[in-house]
Amino acid sequence: MTGIVISVTTAAEGGAVTDLDSRPAGPASTGGRERERRAERILDAAGELLVAWGYPRITVEDVARRAGVGKGTVYLHFSTKELLFLAVLIRAKARIIERLAAGVRADPSAVLLSSAARSAYLWVHEEPIFRATLLGDDDTLGALSRSAAENLPDLLDVRDRALLAHVEVLREHGLVRTDQSSALQVHAYESILTGFVTIEPLSPSTVPALEDNADMIAHVMRAAFELPAPPESVRAAAPRVNEIYQRLLDRLNSAVPTAREIHRHKRT
């Protein structure tokens, strides 16, 4: 996966705001490559601390110490703690989307909502960053959710539109029901999947084995949305769904909103 290249810009008013500029790295100078490696090291350190401590306890000084850099160096890449950890989440999300797209290319049946939800549930449990965010303390989930909504609303919208496009492709090929709107189906899909994940810390003694729970999610999604369809319909839908998630992956890797956009959003 293409590394995230971090740069800093200064907003016209209100001080410095980090530009999480994820342009794919082309031919770079030695200094540019070192800058990218340093940014990745900072993100790795922040992710490790997020898993170990939870978001509220971490300071920028902690991240700098773990990354082996000065506090000022962290601020050269990320002007706030919030934007630093949003970049950590974006990297983790990109890994999930990359696995989804690869799965669709390998097996067309991965486009089905039952299969996609089952895989997403398992991947969330395998991905330490998402485990810490979704299964950790409420403060971590709440703080990072609010930060994402405030700083990166466009990116959240792109993510939501990708899932909507996925559902609409399935509807066109007769793979899901059409008696409800695609928007309602997307909302229900996300609610079911999120519910299965977030209830676990609230009632740990009743949570089934991981694979059993994943199978139950697939069963619920299948019953709620899917229609019997010939294999050729599944195969026909797969390339378009793969394209949808490849575009989303490219967006996550290379087009995070600029500092000016973030600053403009906060003023409006």
Side-chain angles (χ1 to χ4, degrees):
M1 185 176 64
T2 304
I4 294 179
V5 182
I6 308 298
S7 66
V8 175
T9 64
T10 301
E13 298 175 36
V17 182
T18 299
D19 178 3
L20 301 183
D21 182 359
S22 305
R23 291 185 296 268
S29 65
T30 301
R33 288 192 296 271
E34 175 55 33
R35 178 180 177 79
E36 181 177 354
R37 285 194 295 268
R38 188 171 62 231
E40 294 289 340
R41 194 163 70 246
I42 292 168
L43 289 169
D44 288 342
E48 291 165 4
L49 290 174
L50 179 65
V51 171
W53 294 359
Y55 178 76
R57 292 182 55 195
I58 305 169
T59 67
V60 172
E61 290 90 339
D62 295 324
V63 175
R65 188 178 308 111
R66 192 174 189 93
V69 300
K71 177 180 174 182
T73 300
V74 176
Y75 282 120
L76 285 175
H77 294 275
F78 310 92
S79 67
T80 69
K81 174 184 170 182
E82 289 79 10
L83 290 172
L84 166 60
F85 281 93
L86 285 179
V88 171
L89 288 181
I90 289 166
R91 285 204 315 175
K93 179 68 172 179
R95 288 192 290 266
I96 297 290
I97 297 302
E98 192 169 39
R99 294 181 73 172
L100 176 59
V104 170
R105 292 192 297 272
D107 178 6
S109 69
V111 303
L112 298 174
L113 294 181
S114 56
S115 177
R118 186 185 190 280
S119 295
Y121 175 80
L122 293 173
W123 293 338
V124 162
H125 284 76
E126 294 170 9
E127 172 57 62
I129 299 300
F130 280 111
R131 281 184 57 85
T133 304
L134 297 173
L135 303 177
D137 60 274
D138 292 340
D139 289 341
T140 296
L141 178 59
L144 291 176
S145 296
R146 289 189 297 272
S147 182
E150 178 183 359
N151 291 292
L152 300 176
D154 293 341
L155 195 61
L156 296 180
D157 183 60
V158 168
R159 179 205 62 188
D160 293 342
R161 283 190 280 114
L163 180 54
L164 180 63
H166 178 176
V167 169
E168 289 176 343
V169 169
L170 298 183
R171 288 164 66 100
E172 290 173 18
H173 288 275
L175 299 174
V176 298
R177 297 165 52 176
T178 58
D179 54 339
Q180 298 288 345
S181 72
S182 53
L184 280 175
Q185 288 174 325
V186 166
H187 178 74
Y189 174 91
E190 292 187 316
S191 298
I192 293 167
L193 182 55
T194 302
F196 266 86
V197 172
T198 57
I199 197 173
E200 294 181 9
L202 303 177
S203 186
S205 63
T206 66
V207 177
L210 190 64
E211 290 286 338
D212 291 342
N213 222 22
D215 289 341
M216 179 55 69
I217 291 174
H219 172 75
V220 171
M221 296 294 186
R222 194 176 300 115
F225 304 115
E226 293 178 0
L227 296 171
E232 54 267 26
S233 295
V234 177
R235 289 194 295 269
R240 290 180 60 191
V241 173
N242 174 63
E243 183 181 352
I244 288 165
Y245 287 108
Q246 194 59 54
R247 286 199 303 266
L248 176 58
L249 181 61
D250 292 343
R251 179 71 169 88
L252 290 170
N253 280 334
S254 66
V256 179
T258 66
R260 288 185 298 276
E261 291 169 344
I262 292 173
H263 183 64
R264 183 166 58 249
H265 170 72
K266 286 182 175 179
R267 294 185 62 195
T268 57

